[in-house]
Amino acid sequence: MSIVLPCYNEEDVLRETHSRLIGVIGSDRSAEYEVLYVDDGSVDGTWSVIQEFAAREPSVRALRFGRNFGHQAGCLAGLREAVGDAVVIIDADLQDPPELIPEMVSLWRQGWPVVSARRSGREGEGYFKKLSAFAYYRILKAISDHPVALDTGDFRLLDRNVVDLLTGLGDNELFLRGAISWAGFPETAVEYQRGSRASGESKYTLRKMLALSRRGIISGSAVPLRAPAYLGLVSLAGAGGIAVSRRDPKAAMTAAMFGFQTLAIGVLGEYLRGVFRYVEDRPAYVISERTASVPTADSSPVPAVEEVA
Ligand code: UDP
Ligand code: MG
């Protein structure tokens, strides 16, 4: 098992996080663990604290970014670097309790390739964060081609197959939760109450939160690009209505002009979506399982019909 912890300026909480994490995985004799810290360009003492852990414990490894590249980049780096049969991504501030890991591992052993942690409550978070997260997840679900599970973040366990698929996508702007739901592996969840961070302030500034939300919408939904086309069609229908019912050619022309222009933007959007899909270059499908009897490329050929008879 690999445990990935992206950290940005977490000097204050890291010792507590580490000892709680080690407490949990140290008492689990059923698996071998590696702990992988990704220092996302911290400017406090985070890196020296991590180095201390790595010097003391052979199961601890760490990477350090040259500057702050963001939490999603940290997760991606961790996934690329991890060697476990499964990888758990967890926040460094103890808002994601490490005590859930054994339960997630046992669900993975039962055959679930993705085990997410669903927040059944957000006790420790401010009103604005709660409301914006509540609204955002629901909007994203409504407009996405492949909806992200409600109220889940990046605290997840991913099977090796899922990790290999995600890191093989070559997507440098990966929106992890979106890509996981796009891949569509069977997913289950454990529930937890999200408490407040053990120490320090949120490292997700409003700007970073908006950037993440934008990334989620752009990579997961065509609705914003298509919206002008729908608006244009409605305007054209309105123009027709005005022309017939009010016999007001001037008003009808104005509505029609607006309709044509917005429709044209919508058509451009549709082509842009095509280009986006092409550049994104995702595989056409993802295979999550095979039966044992399906011949693979390197197995012996299927016997000819005569031989079978
Ligand atoms: N984080 C990171 N890079 C950033 C911002 C945050 O690696 O630019 C890490 C942070 O150290 C923590 C996790 O991402 O381990 C979640 O961040 P935070 O707890 O600040 O976000 P919140 O829980 O408030 O959404
Ligand atoms: Mg947090």
Side-chain angles (χ1 to χ4, degrees):
M1 302 292 313
S2 302
I3 314 287
V4 168
L5 299 101
C7 323
Y8 179 55
N9 294 344
E10 300 290 11
E11 170 184 36
D12 296 341
V13 299
L14 225 44
R15 284 176 212 282
E16 191 185 341
T17 304
H18 189 72
S19 65
R20 252 175 75 182
L21 179 64
I22 294 297
V24 171
I25 64 183
S27 56
D28 181 3
R29 298 264 157 262
S30 65
E32 209 177 303
Y33 285 89
E34 68 163 349
V35 178
L36 194 58
Y37 286 98
V38 181
D39 181 353
D40 181 16
S42 299
V43 291
D44 65 355
T46 298
W47 182 244
S48 25
V49 176
I50 293 173
Q51 277 179 308
E52 226 176 81
F53 303 153
R56 208 168 54 212
E57 292 155 59
S59 61
V60 175
R61 293 194 290 138
L63 318 170
R64 184 189 198 182
F65 288 171
R67 65 165 171 85
N68 181 229
F69 280 91
H71 172 244
Q72 294 291 296
C75 295
L76 185 58
L79 290 179
R80 286 192 180 144
E81 194 72 17
V83 297
D85 293 335
V87 181
V88 175
I89 299 174
I90 183 168
D91 281 359
D93 62 355
L94 291 171
Q95 278 194 294
D96 301 336
E99 290 73 20
L100 282 182
I101 293 174
E103 194 185 339
M104 295 165 91
V105 172
S106 103
L107 285 164
W108 169 69
R109 287 220 169 87
Q110 288 167 31
W112 292 99
V114 178
V115 183
S116 52
R118 193 181 309 121
R119 301 147 179 181
S120 58
R122 291 167 163 261
E123 299 295 280
E125 285 175 321
Y127 189 66
F128 174 73
K129 182 112 187 176
K130 271 191 213 166
L131 189 71
S132 58
F134 181 87
Y136 177 70
Y137 282 120
R138 276 146 191 88
I139 292 170
L140 192 63
K141 185 175 165 142
I143 66 174
S144 282
D145 304 337
H146 34 80
V148 175
L150 282 177
D151 302 318
T152 58
D154 290 319
F155 183 21
R156 277 157 202 266
L157 178 150
L158 306 171
D159 179 73
R160 172 53 48 197
N161 283 336
V162 182
V163 173
D164 288 346
L165 178 88
L166 293 174
T167 54
L169 288 177
D171 186 342
N172 294 325
E173 284 266 293
L174 199 65
F175 180 63
L176 202 54
R177 319 163 201 184
I180 292 168
S181 74
W182 163 82
F185 285 94
E187 178 171 346
T188 188
V190 294
E191 298 247 336
Y192 75 111
Q193 281 283 338
R194 193 161 166 87
S196 48
R197 59 161 42 240
S199 169
E201 305 256 283
S202 172
K203 305 304 179 305
Y204 253 100
T205 54
L206 184 61
R207 222 174 100 193
K208 283 179 183 170
M209 240 162 71
L210 287 174
L212 181 71
S213 324
R214 200 172 50 222
R215 203 192 271 197
I217 289 172
I218 288 175
S219 67
S221 174
V223 170
L225 274 179
R226 281 188 186 143
Y230 296 131
L231 184 62
L233 289 173
V234 170
S235 301
L236 284 178
I242 293 169
V244 172
S245 66
R246 285 214 264 141
R247 296 175 200 285
D248 183 348
K250 222 172 150 195
M253 273 302 282
T254 310
M257 283 307 292
F258 176 76
F260 278 123
Q261 284 178 15
T262 38
L263 181 61
I265 294 171
V267 171
L268 286 180
E270 206 56 50
Y271 279 87
L272 194 58
R273 184 73 183 166
V275 175
F276 181 79
R277 283 264 175 260
Y278 184 79
V279 175
E280 196 185 31
D281 197 23
R282 292 240 171 126
Y285 51 81
V286 173
I287 297 172
S288 69
E289 259 180 278
R290 288 174 194 276
T291 61
S293 59
V294 173
T296 53
D298 53 12
S299 69
S300 54
V302 181
V305 177
E306 304 89 80
E307 287 172 45
V308 173

